[in-house]
Amino acid sequence: MDNPSKAPAAAWRHPVWSTARKSCVGTALGSGKIWFTTGRGIVTEVFYPRIDIPQIRDLGFIVADDQGFWQELKALPEPQLEMEDPLVPLPIIHHHHDRFDFTLKICADPERDVLLLDFHLEGDAALRPYLLCSARLGEDAENNCAWVGDWEGRPVLWAEQGPFGLALTCRNADGYPALERCTVGEVGASDLWQDFHQNGRMQWAYQEAGPGEVALAGRLPQQGTLALGLGTSKEAAATNAWSSLAEGFQSRAADYSAGWKAWHQRHPTHHCVGTLPAAAKTLYARSTNILKVHEDRTFPGAMVASLSVPWGESSDSRGGYHLVWSRDLVESAGALLTLGATTEARHVLTYLISTQQADGHWLQNQWLGGKPFWQGVQLDETGFPVLLASALREAQMLGNVAVTDMITRALHFIVHEGPVTGQDRWEEDGGVNLFTLAVAIAALVEGAGFLGGKAGDCALMLADYWNARLEEWTFARDTDLAKRFQVAGHYVRIIPEDILVQDGAQKEWVLIKNRAHDPHLSAGEQVANDFLQLVRYGLRSADDPHVTASVKVMDGLLRTDTPCGPVWHRYNGDGYGEHADGSPFDGTGIGRGWPLLVGERGHYALAAGEDAVPYINAMAAMTGNGGLLPEQIWESDAIPEKGLFPGHPSGSAMPLVWAHGEFVKLCHSAAQGHPVDRPAQTWKRYQGKAPKIDYRIWRLRQRPRQLPAGQYLRVLLRAPFTVHWGSNGWQAIQDTESEDWGLGHVATLPVQKLSVGDSVQFAILWRDSGDWQGEDFHIDIVGGGA
C-alpha cells in the first residue's frame, strides 16, 4: 500500500439503506434540525438539515473483549424498547446477551444539530463497546471522505461530502473525552465489521478513507455519551457536538421532553379516546407524535411520507419515502387539523400553494424544495389541496391565507383533465378511478364556494355531472365476480378512459404492474376499495345498492383475517409486496394487507351504523416493536428467520404517516359519529345521493353518443368557440356561441324539445384562430332519464 494510513478501497460497491421497520422516529421541537430513526436496536438514518436528506445509513455498536469474542448489537434478537413518557419520542433501548446488557438512550439536542446517544454497558468487565457509523452525507454513498482527527485536543471522527460535514465524539461520565482507538474505512472492505469478521478483534487503525461509502469506528468506555454532530463543515459539526456534550445528556433530554410536552399541552385532544382500550390510546398518542415528527423546519408545512426506505436493506433508492406527496401531505394535515394543530395544517396549505405547478397541478412527488422526483400526474393530488383550504375555512382557521389563485388554477386543471387521471392513488394505472374522482368532485364543490360567479357555476355543473355518471362509467354488471358473490354488479378498480368515448371499456385489459407475470385481468375483473371514498365524502350513502354490493365483493376478495384482526389488500392481483418466500419486493412481488385500508374500512362501517372500535383495535394490534404502523403487514404463514409473522409488519415502509393520520381520524370519527374529514359543502350538496340533472356535457375527450330526450346539451371546451349545429341530418342549422364560465367556455344547445329517434349534428369553430376542429359530431336522442 502506498499510503498505509489510507483504508483500502472497496472493489465492488452496492450501497443500500437500513431496515424500513423502524421502532422509533424522533426530532427535537426546537431550533435544531436533526431527525433520527431507530431499527433493530440501533440508530438508523439521521436527517439534516431537512427531513428529506439522510446523512448516515446507520450507527450501531459491537461489544467485544479484545480476546476473540465479539457481538454486533443489531444481530441480537429484537431488543426491549421503552418510552418513559408516551408523549415524548425519546427511546430507551435495552439489549441483552448472556455476557452483557447494553442500554442506549437517544435524543436530539433541541438547540443544536446534534444527536446524543447515552450508553451503558454492564456485565463482563473485559467487554467494551465499539461504535460503527456508515456515513451517507448528502444521501451520497460514492463520494464521502472520512478521517481520524483531533479537534481542540479532543479525538474526533470526521466525514465530509459536498456541503456537509459530520463529527463523532464522545465524553465519559466525568465529562472527559473518551473516544479511543479510532479507525475509518470503506464499507465492505476496510470497515470495523470486516476487521472483527477477519481478525476477531480491532486491529486496523486507518486514518483516512474514501472517496466512497465510508465507515467511522472507535472504541468507547463502558459508560458515556456519544455525540453525532452535523454541519456545513466537519469543524462546525465538531464544535456543536462538543457544545452539546458539555451540557450533558440529562440536560438536553430534559429540554427535549419539555418541548414535546408543551406541544401536547397546546393540543389536548385525548378526550376522544377516553373509552378506547389501552393499546388504542397508546397508538393515538404515538400517532400524534408521528405526524409532528415528520414535519420539516426549513420548509414549514412540508411533511415526508415516511422516514424510511421500503425494504431498505435491499434498496438503493435515492428518494425512498422521504419525499413529499401532496395526497399524503393533505391526508396528514387533515389529522393535524383534527388534533387542533391548526398552525401546522395552515403551514401545509401555504407550502402547497408555493409548490403548485403553473398549469394548476402538483407533482407526483418532490423533494422539499419543489424539485420533482417521479413524473406522473395524479388528479387527486390536485384536488386535495383545495379540500384542505376548505376544511381550514370551515374550521375558521384559514386566516389571511390567499387561496383564490391556487383554487382557480387547481380547478381549471381538474375541469380539463378529469375525470381521467394519469395515475391512480397507487401510482400504477391511468383511467377513471373512484377514489380519485371522489376527491376531484369534492374539490370542485368545495372550490366553487371560494370562486363564486360563473367559475363556481362551472365547477358545480361538472361536479354534478361526474357524480351523476359514476355508475355508468365504473359499475360493472353480470361479471364473473358478480356471479361468484351473488350480486348484480360491483364498482371496478379503474376503467380505461375509452369509457368516455365508446362502449366496451370494461372488457379492456388493464395491466397490473409490479407482477412478474401479469394475470391479464380485464377492467371489469379488478376490484379495489377505492369506491369507499364515495361514502366517506357523501357522494353515496352507505346503504346505496351499488355500494353494498361492492362491499360484499371487496370483503370477499380483498379481506384477510390475521391474528391481529382483518386487513384489506389494495386490489386483486396486486404485486407490491414481498415475494411468497419473504424476500423483499424488487419491482415484483405479492401485494400484502395495508393497515391504512383497515382504517378506511372502519370509516365505512361507521357510516353504515356499525361500531368502528374493532377496526381501531385491529390497527393498534398491527404495529411493530415500538408501536409504529407499517405500510403493509404480513398475512401468510410465518417466516421467523425473516421476521415475518401474520398480522405484523412486513419490510415495507414503517411508519407510514398517512396510516397514522388515518388512525387519528378514525378515533375522532368514531367519537363524533361521522367522518371528520368529510367535506362540508360536498355533504351538504349531495348527502349521499346522486344528483338529478337535466343536461349532458360534451367535450373533446368525453363524448356522449346519446342524449336522453328532454335534456340540454352543454359543450365545454378550453377556448372560445362556436357550435355550428343542426338536427336530423343537418336540418334547421344554427350557430351557438360559447360563453366564458371562468374555468372553461360553455355553449348550451337547446335540444331538449327533440324527440326519441331524433339526432343532433354539429361542428366546432375555434373563434380565436378561425379554424374548424376538422370533424363532424353526431348524438342520438334516446329514451330514459339522466
Side-chain angles (χ1 to χ4, degrees):
M1 182 186 301
D2 294 336
N3 182 0
S5 68
K6 178 75 177 288
W12 182 79
R13 294 170 179 161
H14 181 61
V16 293
W17 293 101
S18 297
T19 177
R21 285 187 259 191
K22 308 304 181 187
S23 56
C24 182
V25 295
T27 189
L29 302 184
S31 57
K33 294 182 177 180
I34 288 277
W35 293 260
F36 68 90
T37 70
T38 66
R40 297 173 65 183
I42 64 170
V43 174
T44 47
E45 294 91 356
V46 173
F47 297 78
Y48 159 87
R50 300 179 348 203
I51 199 169
D52 61 343
I53 307 177
Q55 303 286 5
I56 70 168
R57 185 190 70 189
D58 57 22
L59 191 161
F61 299 88
I62 286 174
V63 174
D65 62 5
D66 208 27
Q67 300 298 316
F69 167 81
W70 65 284
Q71 174 65 56
E72 187 177 18
L73 290 187
K74 73 176 183 180
L76 289 172
E78 192 70 44
Q80 177 188 350
L81 174 70
E82 65 172 295
M83 305 280 186
E84 292 181 343
D85 187 330
L87 299 181
V88 180
L90 199 162
I92 304 173
I93 302 171
H94 301 281
H95 290 272
H96 176 73
H97 185 274
D98 290 343
R99 291 186 61 178
F100 64 85
D101 288 289
F102 188 88
T103 301
L104 184 64
K105 300 180 181 179
I106 305 164
C107 83
D109 189 322
E111 299 173 307
R112 303 175 183 88
D113 301 324
V114 178
L115 184 69
L116 294 173
L117 299 84
D118 201 57
F119 59 89
H120 188 193
L121 176 65
E122 298 178 280
D124 191 328
L127 297 174
R128 296 285 292 276
Y130 297 77
L131 77 91
L132 303 86
C133 178
S134 175
R136 192 67 65 82
L137 292 174
E139 210 169 17
D140 187 314
E142 300 294 330
N143 298 291
N144 281 229
C145 294
W147 302 268
V148 174
D150 180 279
W151 182 241
E152 306 298 356
R154 301 181 183 96
V156 63
L157 288 160
W158 270 333
E160 280 190 335
Q161 192 281 129
F164 301 112
L166 174 153
L168 277 164
T169 189
C170 180
R171 60 164 275 185
N172 61 22
D174 296 322
Y176 289 97
L179 195 57
E180 307 171 8
R181 292 179 60 182
C182 295
T183 186
V184 293
E186 288 204 27
V187 173
S190 48
D191 62 90
L192 185 65
W193 191 93
Q194 293 292 336
D195 193 2
F196 273 103
H197 179 66
Q198 295 179 32
N199 303 309
R201 58 177 57 85
M202 182 179 183
Q203 291 191 351
W204 300 338
Y206 300 116
Q207 300 299 295
E208 57 181 301
E213 184 184 9
V214 298
L216 302 83
R219 191 172 71 175
L220 305 172
Q222 289 190 325
Q223 184 174 358
T225 303
L226 184 67
L228 169 65
L230 290 159
T232 54
S233 68
K234 63 183 189 297
E235 292 85 2
T239 297
N240 261 342
W242 198 264
S243 296
S244 191
L245 287 176
E247 290 210 39
F249 185 86
Q250 293 304 320
S251 168
R252 299 295 78 216
D255 287 352
Y256 179 91
S257 297
W260 274 100
K261 291 176 181 178
W263 186 79
H264 281 283
Q265 288 171 0
R266 294 194 295 272
H267 311 101
T269 58
H270 293 258
H271 59 275
C272 83
V273 296
T275 61
L276 294 178
K281 292 178 181 177
T282 298
L283 179 57
Y284 180 90
R286 196 149 291 151
S287 295
T288 63
N289 286 350
I290 294 298
L291 290 163
K292 184 62 177 174
V293 165
H294 282 78
E295 181 186 38
D296 192 59
R297 286 192 281 280
T298 300
F299 297 96
M303 297 172 65
V304 297
S306 176
L307 284 171
S308 67
V309 177
W311 298 282
E313 306 97 320
S314 63
S315 174
D316 60 358
S317 169
R318 186 166 175 80
Y321 276 13
H322 42 267
L323 295 159
V324 176
W325 280 260
S326 70
R327 172 181 45 254
D328 294 56
L329 185 51
V330 173
E331 294 277 22
S332 300
L336 287 167
L337 187 58
T338 300
L339 293 172
T342 55
T343 298
E344 288 87 343
R346 198 161 49 244
H347 284 165
V348 168
L349 180 60
T350 55
Y351 172 78
L352 285 166
I353 290 171
S354 74
T355 57
Q356 185 180 26
Q357 302 300 289
D359 65 357
H361 85 288
W362 275 265
L363 298 169
Q364 178 180 356
N365 55 17
Q366 64 190 33
W367 301 104
L368 267 62
K371 183 179 179 180
F373 188 67
W374 290 336
Q375 305 296 322
V377 176
Q378 298 163 19
L379 197 64
D380 64 317
E381 293 201 299
T382 299
F384 269 118
V386 178
L387 300 185
L388 177 57
S390 183
L392 281 164
R393 186 170 75 168
E394 192 70 23
Q396 298 183 339
M397 290 297 174
L398 184 58
N400 295 319
V401 179
V403 299
T404 306
D405 176 62
M406 177 273 284
I407 291 174
T408 301
R409 288 196 283 152
L411 295 196
H412 189 275
F413 186 86
I414 291 171
V415 164
H416 294 287
E417 295 298 321
V420 173
T421 180
Q423 292 179 340
D424 62 357
R425 65 169 170 166
W426 306 125
E427 309 187 297
E428 294 179 5
D429 286 293
V432 179
N433 169 266
L434 282 173
F435 179 93
T436 300
L437 198 48
V439 174
I441 291 170
L444 289 169
V445 175
E446 302 298 313
F450 286 89
L451 303 186
K454 281 294 188 180
D457 292 343
C458 186
L460 293 174
M461 174 187 72
L462 197 59
D464 289 351
Y465 184 70
W466 287 350
N467 193 359
R469 302 264 75 78
L470 291 178
E471 283 72 32
E472 176 186 319
W473 293 334
T474 67
F475 194 81
R477 301 180 183 276
D478 299 322
T479 65
D480 289 342
L481 285 175
K483 295 172 184 176
R484 173 180 166 187
F485 292 100
Q486 299 181 329
V487 293
H490 55 83
Y491 290 116
V492 300
R493 170 197 165 211
I494 197 163
I495 195 79
E497 64 177 303
D498 286 352
I499 193 68
L500 304 179
V501 295
Q502 65 184 36
D503 296 325
Q506 289 182 0
K507 295 181 180 180
E508 291 183 24
W509 165 49
V510 174
L511 173 67
I512 294 181
K513 300 179 181 179
N514 303 320
R515 289 288 297 268
H517 303 286
D518 181 75
H520 286 271
L521 297 178
S522 68
E525 297 174 285
Q526 297 187 31
V527 173
N529 82 326
D530 291 347
F531 69 91
L532 295 181
Q533 201 75 357
L534 301 177
V535 177
R536 185 160 177 167
Y537 279 7
L539 307 184
R540 294 292 182 274
S541 62
D543 61 357
D544 183 289
H546 301 97
V547 172
T548 56
S550 299
V551 168
K552 185 175 182 180
V553 176
M554 177 194 74
D555 284 349
L557 202 61
L558 304 183
R559 169 176 166 156
T560 299
D561 291 314
T562 78
C564 296
V567 70
W568 279 261
H569 296 234
R570 300 191 302 175
Y571 55 87
N572 54 318
D574 185 11
Y576 181 54
E578 281 94 348
H579 293 269
D581 63 358
S583 57
F585 173 76
D586 55 4
T588 66
I590 300 172
R592 305 293 168 182
W594 288 57
L596 165 69
L597 302 184
V598 179
E600 293 187 354
R601 182 62 175 82
H603 271 100
Y604 171 76
L606 184 68
E610 301 168 11
D611 188 1
V613 171
Y615 302 91
I616 292 172
N617 290 340
M619 292 183 76
M622 292 173 184
T623 56
N625 178 52
L628 307 184
L629 280 168
E631 181 181 51
Q632 302 176 39
I633 63 166
W634 186 251
E635 16 67 302
S636 297
D637 293 338
I639 307 179
E641 63 272 19
K642 294 184 178 177
L644 296 171
F645 300 92
H648 294 283
S650 70
S652 60
M654 186 168 77
L656 184 66
V657 183
W658 183 1
H660 283 277
E662 178 71 7
F663 182 80
V664 166
K665 287 188 280 190
L666 182 57
C667 290
H668 282 263
S669 297
Q672 296 187 25
H674 64 82
V676 293
D677 59 355
R678 183 175 67 194
Q681 297 307 311
T682 304
W683 169 249
K684 181 179 179 180
R685 187 170 186 85
Y686 300 123
Q687 297 200 27
K689 304 298 182 183
K692 301 297 183 181
I693 59 176
D694 61 358
Y695 59 89
R696 290 219 169 179
I697 294 177
W698 189 96
R699 300 191 296 166
L700 287 171
R701 66 180 304 173
Q702 181 181 330
R703 305 178 182 184
R705 297 168 297 284
Q706 297 177 330
L707 179 70
Q711 290 198 351
Y712 296 88
L713 180 65
R714 289 180 174 173
V715 180
L716 171 61
L717 299 172
R718 286 180 180 267
F721 62 94
T722 298
V723 182
H724 181 68
W725 66 282
S727 59
N728 299 322
W730 289 103
Q731 298 181 42
I733 294 175
Q734 55 188 296
D735 290 335
T736 300
E737 293 194 350
S738 66
E739 298 178 359
D740 186 351
W741 280 35
L743 299 176
H745 296 264
V746 178
T748 301
L749 304 190
V751 296
Q752 70 277 12
K753 294 183 178 180
L754 293 178
S755 302
V756 175
D758 289 340
S759 63
V760 179
Q761 293 75 38
F762 62 96
I764 303 294
L765 174 68
W766 299 103
R767 293 209 302 269
D768 289 345
S769 66
D771 295 331
W772 291 93
Q773 176 62 24
E775 55 184 319
D776 292 345
F777 306 103
H778 178 99
I779 295 179
D780 292 316
I781 307 300
V782 298

